[in-house]
Amino acid sequence: MATSDISLTAGMRTNLLNLQSTSKLLNRTQERLSSGKQVNSALDNPTNYFAAQNANQRASDLADRKDGMSEAVQTVSAANAGITAVTGLINAAKGIAQSALSTSDTSTRSKLATQYDTIRSQVDNISSDSGYRGLNLLSSTNTLTVNFNEDASSSLNVVGFLANSGGLSLSGASSNWSTNSDITTDTAKMDTAISTLRSNTQTLAANLNIITTRQNFTDSMISTLQTGADNLTLADMNQEGANMLMLQTRQSLGTTSLSMSSQAAQAVLRLF
């Protein structure tokens, strides 16, 4: 039976339309209460919806970049740990050289020269073991590229260096340290190596400071973008709760009014 075949009084039709409108408002309010947002789709508010989407997407892209920065920090930290260990070994080697200078016994000097060569081989081992996730800034001039923004137009290149005995010009014990000049020559090489390590440490520290500063900035930007998106879409839960109570009351009154309109029509029928 078509809707046009049903005759409703003007009062009943008005009450029915009001109930339908109230039901739609109830559904909308329930959705807002369940999601916590007053803008759940582009139909609710196209301007705010798409502006919030853009802000959230940018925040997501920056969060991905922040993960890359965290990995870069670990890579630089691994290199710094390697430099610290290598520096300690070279200082120990310098102590051995000083011990060799304090004795004229050839046999003792030969043993100390062997200890020095052992330490030099450990420098090579530490240099090769200072990588993080396949990237070692101490094994060659590898470049670590850290991207800071969404389109990678802002970035930083951290260039490594060769921190093994070859890269630091630490050759084997000269003539088995048989003369003082042999020892002083190798000691001078160790001093140069330490100077090289300190210089590169300063460069790594500066790069690390830049990365951590950009990390903090990225955290702030992500928070700002998410807060802005929330301001455009979040619902006032107190207001929506009050709306729900009001709409439930309106629905109850509408149902009562529709029932009274129906009873009036039935009273007319009883006249016949």
Side-chain angles (χ1 to χ4, degrees):
M1 182 171 59
T3 305
S4 59
D5 295 335
I6 302 175
S7 296
L8 297 176
T9 65
M12 294 177 66
R13 191 175 298 280
T14 299
N15 287 327
L16 182 59
L17 290 174
N18 287 335
L19 274 176
Q20 291 173 341
S21 176
T22 301
S23 179
K24 289 179 180 179
L25 292 174
L26 272 172
N27 291 335
R28 187 187 69 177
T29 303
Q30 287 174 345
E31 182 183 21
R32 289 179 175 180
L33 287 172
S34 62
S35 67
K37 295 182 177 182
Q38 66 175 349
V39 179
N40 290 285
S41 69
L43 296 176
D44 297 326
N45 187 321
T47 302
N48 286 6
Y49 178 78
F50 288 112
Q53 284 285 92
N54 289 335
N56 283 324
Q57 287 171 1
R58 187 184 175 201
S60 178
D61 292 338
L62 288 176
D64 292 338
R65 293 304 187 197
K66 194 179 72 169
D67 292 339
M69 292 179 224
S70 298
E71 291 296 280
V73 167
Q74 297 307 312
T75 301
V76 175
S77 296
N80 183 65
I83 290 175
T84 301
V86 169
T87 302
L89 286 177
I90 295 176
N91 282 325
K94 286 180 63 178
I96 292 175
Q98 292 300 318
S99 297
L101 281 174
S102 65
T103 182
S104 58
D105 182 64
T106 304
S107 175
T108 301
R109 286 189 172 188
S110 177
K111 291 179 180 178
L112 292 173
T114 301
Q115 292 179 20
Y116 164 75
D117 286 333
T118 300
I119 289 177
R120 195 172 60 87
S121 67
Q122 289 303 313
V123 169
D124 294 337
N125 292 337
I126 290 177
S127 173
S128 63
D129 292 339
S130 298
Y132 178 79
R133 295 191 66 176
L135 182 60
N136 191 340
L137 296 176
L138 302 185
S139 63
S140 66
T141 55
N142 290 324
T143 299
L144 169 65
T145 300
V146 189
N147 295 317
F148 295 130
N149 60 356
E150 309 93 293
D151 59 2
S153 60
S154 176
S155 62
L156 174 70
N157 290 327
V158 182
V159 182
F161 70 104
L162 196 57
N164 59 16
S165 58
L168 298 173
S169 300
L170 295 175
S171 57
S174 302
S175 302
N176 216 23
W177 285 0
S178 58
T179 64
N180 287 349
S181 62
D182 294 330
I183 300 173
T184 55
T185 297
D186 287 343
T187 300
K189 292 179 180 178
M190 287 183 262
D191 288 335
T192 301
I194 289 176
S195 178
T196 300
L197 290 171
R198 287 175 179 171
S199 175
N200 282 280
T201 298
Q202 293 173 353
T203 302
L204 285 177
N207 289 330
L208 184 60
N209 181 60
I210 292 172
I211 296 171
T212 54
T213 300
R214 287 303 301 248
Q215 269 188 311
N216 294 333
F217 171 75
T218 302
D219 282 333
S220 298
M221 280 301 301
I222 290 173
S223 177
T224 298
L225 290 167
Q226 291 176 336
T227 300
D230 289 344
N231 289 339
L232 292 172
T233 59
L234 288 184
D236 184 337
M237 302 304 284
N238 293 325
Q239 179 180 344
E240 296 303 330
N243 288 344
M244 176 63 75
L245 291 176
M246 180 271 293
L247 289 170
Q248 288 174 338
T249 302
R250 182 191 295 180
Q251 186 180 50
S252 177
L253 291 174
T255 302
T256 301
S257 178
L258 182 63
S259 175
M260 292 176 64
S261 296
S262 176
Q263 290 174 3
Q266 291 173 3
V268 173
L269 287 175
R270 282 198 292 269
L271 296 175
F272 297 96

